[in-house]
Amino acid sequence: MALTRKEQQLLTLIRDQPLATPEELAQQLGSTRAAVNVHVSNLVRKGALLGRGYILPDDPDRSDGRIVVVGGANVDLKARTSAPALPGTSNPGVTEQAPGGVGRNIAENLARLGVPVSLITAVGRDALGDTLLHDTQAAGVDVSGVLRVPGETTGTYTAILNDRGEMLIAVAAMGVMARLTPAALRERRRLLRGADWVVADGNLPEDTLVALLGLCHERGLQVVFEPVSVPKARHLHAALEAGLAAPQVLTPNVGELGALLGQDVPDRLPDLKRAARALLDRGAQIVWVRRGRHGSLLCTPGRSVTLPALPATPRDVTGAGDAMLAAFLAGLTQGLTPEDAARLGHAAAALTIEHAATVVPDLTLDLLQRRLNS
């Protein structure tokens, strides 16, 4: 059935702003909320929308090469001491505030590396959330899938660093992520259309992670799971114990590797390889274990290779792992082998820890190649 001019205008607005409220749509149409509701009912009846959640029909043949990141976004609050830290007393130093969050950082790094990327996360409908989304969108990330939650505070990540830029302790206040429920995720499933990869981080509630893996399995999408921390890695462990197949790519550090298996894993190559093989046996295709200054171990069903960390003078270690994963995925989208893509990841990590910003603002694939060749 043909659409009226107003219905066409409304459908265009919904495509561009799928999370807009009826009041916001009415204001842009120069209409009323009641009229918008009538138009929505007509669009549903005519098949242009699948429901009142503004769900657009899927086009299974559409592919745009995007990466969709589903995970945490927050404001980083970082304090760095000016001299060796003394516990139990006040220390002179400097503080700063910047956009952060594992999922958000990965998305910004991907955008700066020229990869089309969409972010699905939850933030408060507050001033911190406004600034966070503005800065993220300005970096080139599609934020149309972000859930804005009234009455909730946007997440924060507070890190205390010593004078060498090494983390002493951090506190993540990410309660708003509990509002990214399976239902909220399903309302945003249109963003999965055409994705080459989906990145899930451990900030997702366990049931939302399971729902995401199910949606990706239905659509044949490749998934990367970034555990984030030892406690959050257990979200996937519970799913694996329930019989769920592992995501195609897992990127734990040594502690997180043990948490994924529900056991301690010593930081020795034979033990790490055995643990990685256990995850490969559960369906993973790549297990990339980060070992800090010792580099990393990249395991696939047919091969295991150790990769050295690149020399770097630390200024701030925050965000190094996020940049590492983003560069790895950017390399894969360029047709690199997993090993060469991982080397690109190590270059991104080295550049990031030498920079004061959590995401290197002038990051490019050419810059990474120059670092590898230097």
Side-chain angles (χ1 to χ4, degrees):
M1 299 174 66
L3 303 183
T4 67
R5 184 174 61 85
K6 279 291 187 182
E7 289 167 356
Q8 290 172 339
Q9 291 175 344
L10 178 59
L11 188 61
T12 298
L13 288 175
I14 289 172
R15 289 185 187 279
D16 293 339
Q17 306 167 57
L19 303 184
T21 65
E23 291 86 352
E24 292 167 339
L25 293 172
Q27 184 176 17
Q28 294 178 68
L29 277 177
S31 184
T32 64
R33 174 172 178 165
V36 165
N37 287 337
V38 171
H39 293 319
V40 167
S41 295
N42 290 336
L43 288 170
V44 172
R45 180 170 53 84
K46 294 177 180 181
L49 288 177
L50 299 186
R52 286 183 171 270
Y54 301 157
I55 302 168
L56 298 166
D58 282 348
D59 178 0
D61 297 324
R62 177 176 175 268
S63 176
D64 54 17
R66 284 175 307 112
I67 292 178
V68 178
V69 181
V70 189
N74 53 253
V75 175
D76 281 350
L77 307 170
K78 294 188 286 187
R80 178 172 173 164
T81 64
S82 303
L86 298 175
T89 188
S90 174
N91 286 261
V94 295
T95 61
E96 64 178 43
Q97 175 178 309
V102 170
R104 197 218 67 87
N105 291 347
I106 293 169
E108 182 179 340
N109 276 290
L110 284 167
R112 295 193 181 280
L113 290 170
V115 180
V117 58
S118 297
L119 176 65
I120 298 177
T121 189
V123 301
R125 195 175 286 277
D126 54 13
L128 284 180
D130 292 342
T131 301
L132 183 62
L133 294 188
H134 175 272
D135 292 347
T136 302
Q137 187 173 40
V141 179
D142 168 30
V143 298
S144 65
V146 174
L147 173 66
R148 301 299 302 272
V149 186
E152 290 278 0
T153 302
T154 295
T156 57
Y157 172 82
T158 304
I160 309 299
L161 312 174
N162 64 18
D163 58 316
R164 299 186 300 277
E166 299 166 337
M167 184 190 302
L168 300 177
I169 192 171
V171 177
M174 300 290 293
V176 68
M177 288 300 296
R179 302 295 291 274
L180 189 59
T181 62
L185 179 64
R186 284 190 289 272
E187 290 174 357
R188 289 156 177 78
R189 64 182 182 269
R190 65 175 184 84
L191 289 172
L192 300 179
R193 291 180 301 169
D196 277 359
W197 289 91
V198 174
V199 180
D201 83 28
N203 287 302
L204 296 177
E206 185 179 318
D207 56 350
T208 303
L209 175 60
V210 170
L212 176 62
L213 295 177
L215 284 172
C216 291
H217 178 74
E218 291 172 6
R219 295 168 181 250
L221 300 176
Q222 302 180 99
V223 181
V224 182
F225 180 67
E226 164 53 48
V228 176
S229 68
V230 169
K232 293 175 180 179
R234 298 189 182 112
H235 294 174
L236 182 62
H237 169 67
L240 295 177
E241 288 299 297
L244 195 70
Q248 283 81 0
V249 179
L250 300 168
T251 58
N253 62 25
V254 175
E256 294 159 359
L257 177 63
L260 290 174
L261 293 169
Q263 62 188 51
D264 290 333
V265 178
D267 191 3
R268 297 189 297 261
L269 281 176
D271 297 289
L272 296 176
K273 289 179 180 180
R274 277 194 294 272
R277 279 197 297 270
L279 292 171
L280 293 172
D281 289 342
R282 296 191 181 192
Q285 295 300 306
I286 298 173
V287 180
W288 188 20
V289 185
R290 286 84 170 280
R291 305 178 66 207
R293 67 179 184 275
H294 299 302
S296 67
L297 171 68
L298 183 74
C299 296
T300 62
R303 187 164 186 245
S304 295
V305 59
T306 56
L307 301 169
L310 298 187
T313 302
R315 185 173 180 182
D316 184 344
V317 299
T318 308
D322 308 333
M324 200 171 181
L325 174 52
F328 175 73
L329 285 173
L332 292 182
T333 64
Q334 292 291 310
L336 298 184
T337 65
E339 182 176 336
D340 287 339
R343 294 185 190 281
L344 210 61
H346 277 290
L351 287 169
T352 301
I353 67 175
E354 289 183 338
H355 203 283
T358 301
V359 177
V360 177
D362 58 348
L363 190 66
T364 63
L365 286 171
D366 183 61
L367 181 63
L368 296 180
Q369 289 291 354
R370 292 202 304 270
R371 182 56 184 261
L372 278 177
N373 296 332
S374 64

